[in-house]
Amino acid sequence: MKTIVAKVDLRQASSAEVIQTAAKILQEGGLVAFPTETVYGLGGNGLDSAACEKIYLAKGRPSDNPLILHISEIEELDRIVAEVSLQARALMDAFWPGPLTMIFKKKDIVPAKATGGLDTVAIRMPKHPVALRLIEGSGCLIAAPSANTSGKPSPTEASHVALDMDGRIPMILDGGPVGIGIESTIVDLSEETPMILRPGYITQEMLQEVLGEKVCMDPGIIASDSTRKPKAPGMKYKHYAPKADLVLVEGETDKVVARINELVREKQQLGQKVGVIATDETLLRYEADHVVSIGAREDEDAIARHLYKILREFDDWNVDAIYSESFATPRIGQAIMNRLLKAAGHQVIPV
Ligand code: TXA
Ligand code: MG
């Protein structure tokens, strides 16, 4: 299959035609990758079992890992979910459109293929104008996981999607680099205490403030071992992993820099190529084969935005080992570290 990569910039009139072509592909049961504010999504008609099946095939995704349905208007909820609680309404008012996904009891119209056989469905209203325009234009509720091959870091640019999906899907909409760079926060309101199944840009504190009650974190995603099963099926899979072995070094900056340089030398003496993930502040202090800055330490938005791109770059450089500083930043540090720890298989050296 030939994959068309089409630039979309909604300020230009020509984009209407591009969106129309993409919408038609969706209506006919095909797949289109498109930008959202978090990461690129791989979209298909979420109410069409065959289209959902194609998504799993294109990604090589295990079939028990459910998809997120993307909507452009709150009214669409009534068609697909059995009940919308007051809590859910409050969160929608506060954060939709935006990087928050909520879990609801599904109606029969949502095929089991979309939900991995669960009787619940994950729903989000994205904020990216191209995503919204595509949902409206197609009239579909778009099922869209991240547009990467299963196990790879989520794509934050159209070129990442092309690397993973070229020849597998008919069309990729290129809306430039995404704004946030890590996937949406997932919250489950079906239990007595609201629970975060995947941390993201919308933090625990932000949810608590709107709900006026405690929100807990799924114990299954905090555990560094596999003794507890995460509630979101996708969170149990090894994810985001670069090809090289990634280890985090955590502690006071001077000590971290010294220890990483020491570890780099040890590996290099064994004939290995080594990479380091640094910050703007420490970039020049490392001696390794590839040193990259993830951004300024104070700029946590930049750190989130650059994370997946950097993990992908290390694959191109063919390094054998990567050492990274730790980024437990105040606001979205929990989400950043959740992804980074997974990429590192929870290998952390405290100094
Ligand atoms: O930011 C995002 O959410 C991106 C963009 C494209 O919207 N999408 C995304 O989808 O990250 P995906 O498929 O890569 O991740 C969906 C996660 C998986 O961990 C899945 O297990 C979980 O959502 N999930 C989906 N439906 C669920 C359900 N009914 N109950 C629990 N977890 C669910
Ligand atoms: Mg994903």
Side-chain angles (χ1 to χ4, degrees):
M1 181 185 299
K2 187 165 160 36
T3 304
I4 302 165
V5 182
K7 284 227 180 329
V8 246
D9 175 351
L10 293 180
R11 290 165 301 188
Q12 284 172 2
S14 58
S15 286
E17 209 176 304
V18 175
I19 299 264
Q20 212 172 16
T21 308
K24 189 148 180 283
I25 293 175
L26 291 173
Q27 288 160 355
E28 289 170 354
L31 306 186
V32 174
F34 62 97
T36 83
E37 73 279 25
T38 57
V39 299
Y40 272 75
L42 176 59
N45 179 354
L47 301 186
D48 174 354
S49 280
C52 294
E53 178 86 51
K54 284 185 191 167
I55 293 177
Y56 286 94
L57 262 175
K59 275 183 67 85
R61 180 178 177 115
S63 60
D64 69 340
N65 188 3
L67 309 174
I68 295 175
L69 291 196
H70 295 68
I71 62 173
S72 61
E73 283 176 59
I74 303 242
E75 291 68 49
E76 287 163 330
L77 272 181
D78 297 333
R79 275 174 76 197
I80 47 178
V81 314
E83 194 197 319
V84 181
S85 66
L86 287 175
Q87 289 168 311
R89 291 264 175 227
L91 292 182
M92 275 173 222
D93 282 348
F95 302 116
W96 277 5
L100 179 72
T101 296
M102 284 189 265
I103 309 289
F104 296 90
K105 280 254 172 313
K106 79 174 190 75
K107 278 188 176 164
D108 289 342
I109 187 174
V110 180
K113 263 274 163 264
T115 65
L118 298 176
D119 60 359
T120 52
V121 59
I123 301 177
R124 149 166 138 82
M125 186 190 293
K127 197 181 181 119
H128 198 293
V130 171
L132 289 171
R133 199 64 86 73
L134 185 64
I135 301 168
E136 284 160 13
S138 64
C140 297
L141 306 179
I142 303 185
S146 47
N148 50 290
T149 307
S150 199
K152 286 253 214 132
S154 295
T156 54
E157 299 178 2
S159 66
H160 302 164
V161 181
L163 274 173
D164 285 10
M165 293 298 151
D166 190 41
R168 293 169 173 258
I169 60 174
M171 192 172 197
I172 298 169
L173 297 181
D174 179 356
V178 300
I180 293 180
I182 50 178
E183 307 86 345
S184 62
T185 305
I186 304 179
V187 64
D188 182 359
L189 300 165
S190 69
E191 310 283 337
E192 200 156 324
T193 313
M195 187 188 275
I196 295 174
L197 308 189
R198 179 173 72 183
Y201 189 80
I202 308 285
T203 64
Q204 192 170 15
E205 290 70 31
M206 289 160 84
L207 296 171
Q208 282 174 171
E209 196 171 321
V210 170
L211 293 175
E213 63 175 310
K214 192 169 161 34
V215 172
C216 64
M217 195 57 75
D218 177 1
I221 58 168
I222 303 171
S224 60
D225 50 39
S226 51
T227 48
R228 276 175 181 273
K229 213 166 119 206
K231 228 183 145 192
M235 298 298 279
K236 72 172 182 272
Y237 292 106
K238 189 172 150 90
H239 239 135
Y240 317 123
K243 287 185 217 151
D245 196 41
L246 169 66
V247 177
L248 312 186
V249 181
E250 207 166 56
E252 194 252 311
T253 306
D254 287 343
K255 288 185 181 156
V256 167
V257 172
R259 185 81 181 105
I260 289 184
N261 277 327
E262 212 174 276
L263 289 160
V264 170
R265 275 194 301 276
E266 283 169 19
K267 291 281 183 202
Q268 285 178 331
Q269 272 158 15
L270 297 171
Q272 297 194 359
K273 260 171 86 178
V274 193
V276 172
I277 303 178
T279 55
D280 288 355
E281 292 81 357
T282 55
L283 182 69
L284 297 176
R285 299 176 64 187
Y286 291 108
E287 284 168 44
D289 300 281
H290 284 287
V291 186
V292 292
S293 171
I294 196 166
R297 184 153 278 280
E298 296 303 313
D299 187 355
E300 46 181 332
D301 288 347
I303 294 175
R305 201 162 57 235
H306 298 149
L307 178 64
Y308 289 148
K309 184 188 170 74
I310 285 179
L311 292 179
R312 279 179 178 261
E313 274 171 10
F314 276 111
D315 282 351
D316 298 336
W317 287 325
N318 279 316
V319 294
D320 304 289
I322 308 167
Y323 295 101
S324 175
E325 295 179 14
S326 167
F327 308 104
T329 57
R331 196 168 39 83
I332 44 175
Q334 198 159 34
I336 295 168
M337 288 309 288
N338 167 260
R339 311 308 196 270
L340 197 56
L341 280 163
K342 268 179 110 171
H346 289 271
Q347 300 184 86
V348 182
I349 300 176
V351 291

